[in-house]
Amino acid sequence: MKNKYMLSASGMYINYFLLGMVNIMLASNMSFLTKQLNTDGAGISYIISAIGIGKLLSYSLSGVLSDKVGRKPLIIVSSLTMAIFLIGIPLSPNYQTAFIFAIIAGIANSAMDAGTYPALIEVFPKSSGSASVLVKAFISAGAALLPFMIAFFADRDLFYGYAFFLPALIYLLNMIFMFKLPFPNHKREQSTVQQLNTAENKFISAPKMKQEGIALIVIGFTSTALFTVAQIWLPTYGQQVLGMAESSSVRLLSYYSIGALISVLVLAVLLSKVLRPVTVILVYPMITLIAVLTLLFVKVPAIAIAAAFFMGFSTAGVFQLAITVMTELFWNKKGTVTGIVATAAGLAAILLPLATGLMSKTGHISIIFIFDAMLSVVGMAAAAFVNYRYRKILNKNRSEQIQETAS
């Protein structure tokens, strides 16, 4: 039976394709922005951190609004505000104005997450895990395309801001496109699931926020921390510890990105047929730990390439799947719990660059990846507890019947 919300889902994925560009837009245009805003690389990094601040300040509110007013209004508003950011940055007359636009981008991102993840889960109730990890695939694809777009304008001596204006235009067109499309009634979805949970005894006992809820929040933090550390420090580790040339060490990030993209494509297939999201969030940190330890103890460039690939493979999609499991357990507050997990992720995005930057001042980059291994262990422990609780409280026989009826 054809899903009547397929076009709506397409619009949401387009937003995240563009978000992949936004995530690296400021760093990719650093040389232009430093001149325009009369600052240096550190100043631009502070503007980038302002996006994280905007996320952190607004995630909880966005989650509550998602449950109260619905998913569609937040998604529409996020498209508009993200377009404002993209138009505003190239036209900013000073540093302070650009900083404000960056905070606006963070708020837009939080609204997008709080609206989109619950909406995708409601659009695809039988394959919510696959629907969620595909978000990561679209983010990766957008990030891969942006450098080519920047090079296109640069080769023709065109204004660098066109690389901002084009995605802004697509955001606005997509907003108009989605404005006319149907979205699931989130209150009716919650009511239906509540009736099913009561009538069919999906849960043997009620999920507890103070137990599995907190563990999933921890996973939201560690999953974001793990890929943040890798993306910042892999090239430096390659140069200083492995003795790789600068160009070769930077390519470690390419292998990392390839691993991430392959991972989400594999998960999109397997989650709908073979794997449960709760299993992946346990297995993936184990793979990350093995990859990080290999990087630390087998200091050979060729092995580092394989380790970078598997680090990318095993950190991709974990955040999205943590949200999927959280919304499955706390189905009556999908937007709220999405906001809580995303807040933990936003906190990691702010704290980890600061913490690892301080570690780097010791002159021993290996310390950072020892810390990364410790984060993997924490993520594994939290995921093991979630798996234990999940299997304890969920009536497996009934859950499959409920998914069939809900869809």
Side-chain angles (χ1 to χ4, degrees):
M1 190 173 181
K2 189 176 181 181
N3 192 323
K4 66 178 180 179
Y5 302 116
M6 192 61 71
L7 286 177
S8 304
S10 300
M12 289 184 265
Y13 286 126
I14 289 171
N15 275 347
Y16 277 93
F17 174 80
L18 298 171
L19 183 64
M21 298 183 181
V22 170
N23 286 343
I24 62 171
M25 186 71 79
L26 297 179
S28 299
N29 288 281
M30 188 174 290
S31 60
F32 299 110
L33 290 169
T34 52
K35 293 178 183 178
Q36 175 184 326
L37 303 176
N38 192 29
T39 186
D40 55 14
I44 300 303
S45 71
Y46 296 147
I47 293 179
I48 294 172
S49 71
I51 297 177
I53 293 170
K55 292 181 192 177
L56 192 63
L57 292 175
S58 56
Y59 263 132
S60 295
L61 177 60
S62 295
V64 172
L65 288 175
S66 177
D67 285 332
K68 287 188 176 294
V69 303
R71 324 305 184 196
K72 184 175 179 177
L74 263 74
I75 294 170
I76 296 297
V77 169
S78 71
S79 298
L80 177 61
T81 48
M82 197 63 82
I84 290 172
F85 158 76
L86 288 165
I87 295 169
I89 288 291
L91 302 180
S92 292
N94 53 54
Y95 186 88
Q96 292 77 9
T97 304
F99 197 90
I100 292 171
F101 279 123
I103 291 176
I104 290 173
I107 295 171
N109 195 343
S110 72
M112 191 181 298
D113 287 347
T116 302
Y117 285 111
L120 287 173
I121 289 166
E122 289 160 0
V123 169
F124 303 105
K126 291 185 67 178
S127 53
S128 57
S130 298
S132 295
V133 296
L134 275 176
V135 167
K136 181 67 176 179
F138 279 88
I139 290 173
S140 299
L145 179 62
L146 180 67
F148 295 100
M149 190 165 69
I150 291 173
F152 176 85
F153 293 124
D155 291 344
R156 289 158 179 78
D157 292 324
L158 296 172
F159 176 46
Y160 84 93
Y162 290 140
F164 287 73
F165 297 155
L166 182 57
L169 176 61
I170 300 173
Y171 262 125
L172 293 173
L173 292 174
N174 197 43
M175 178 188 72
I176 296 170
F177 171 70
M178 287 195 295
F179 191 81
K180 301 178 180 180
L181 293 175
F183 276 67
N185 185 320
H186 70 289
K187 291 184 179 178
R188 187 176 62 198
E189 292 289 331
Q190 290 174 2
S191 175
T192 301
V193 173
Q194 185 174 13
Q195 292 172 10
L196 288 166
N197 284 332
T198 302
E200 304 292 348
N201 296 318
K202 177 179 180 180
F203 295 108
I204 297 172
S205 60
K208 297 180 180 179
M209 180 58 71
K210 292 183 178 180
Q211 294 186 28
E212 54 268 32
I214 290 177
L216 284 162
I217 293 168
V218 170
I219 294 170
F221 182 92
T222 57
S223 62
T224 303
L226 286 169
F227 72 71
T228 299
V229 171
Q231 289 181 332
I232 294 174
W233 295 107
L234 265 177
T236 304
Y237 184 87
Q239 290 180 58
Q240 295 189 12
V241 178
L242 303 179
M244 300 173 70
E246 182 178 356
S247 58
S248 298
S249 66
V250 170
R251 278 200 287 272
L252 289 175
L253 288 180
S254 298
Y255 294 111
Y256 180 93
S257 299
I258 291 169
L261 186 57
I262 291 174
S263 174
V264 293
L265 294 176
V266 169
L267 285 177
V269 175
L270 295 183
L271 284 169
S272 62
K273 298 179 180 179
V274 180
L275 294 176
R276 284 180 177 268
V278 73
T279 304
V280 178
I281 64 174
L282 174 60
V283 173
Y284 268 29
M286 295 179 181
I287 299 174
T288 303
L289 179 61
I290 294 170
V292 173
L293 292 177
T294 301
L295 193 70
L296 284 167
F297 292 106
V298 187
K299 298 176 181 179
V300 178
I303 300 299
I305 290 172
F309 174 89
F310 282 105
M311 287 171 68
F313 186 93
S314 59
T315 54
V318 176
F319 168 70
Q320 287 79 13
L321 292 178
I323 290 177
T324 300
V325 177
M326 190 73 149
T327 55
E328 180 183 356
L329 294 174
F330 303 97
W331 39 265
N332 56 335
K333 293 182 179 179
K334 291 189 183 77
T336 301
V337 296
T338 296
I340 294 171
V341 176
T343 298
L347 190 62
I350 294 173
L351 292 180
L352 265 296
L354 297 174
T356 54
L358 291 174
M359 292 178 194
S360 70
K361 291 183 178 181
T362 65
H364 301 286
I365 300 301
S366 295
I367 293 175
I368 294 173
F369 284 91
I370 293 171
F371 177 64
D372 203 41
M374 293 169 62
L375 288 171
S376 298
V377 173
V378 173
M380 285 167 50
F385 181 74
V386 171
N387 270 264
Y388 165 74
R389 285 288 298 165
Y390 184 91
R391 285 167 171 75
K392 184 176 180 180
I393 67 176
L394 193 69
N395 186 329
K396 295 180 182 179
N397 294 328
R398 285 300 187 186
S399 65
E400 294 180 1
Q401 297 176 16
I402 292 167
Q403 279 192 333
E404 180 72 26
T405 305
S407 61

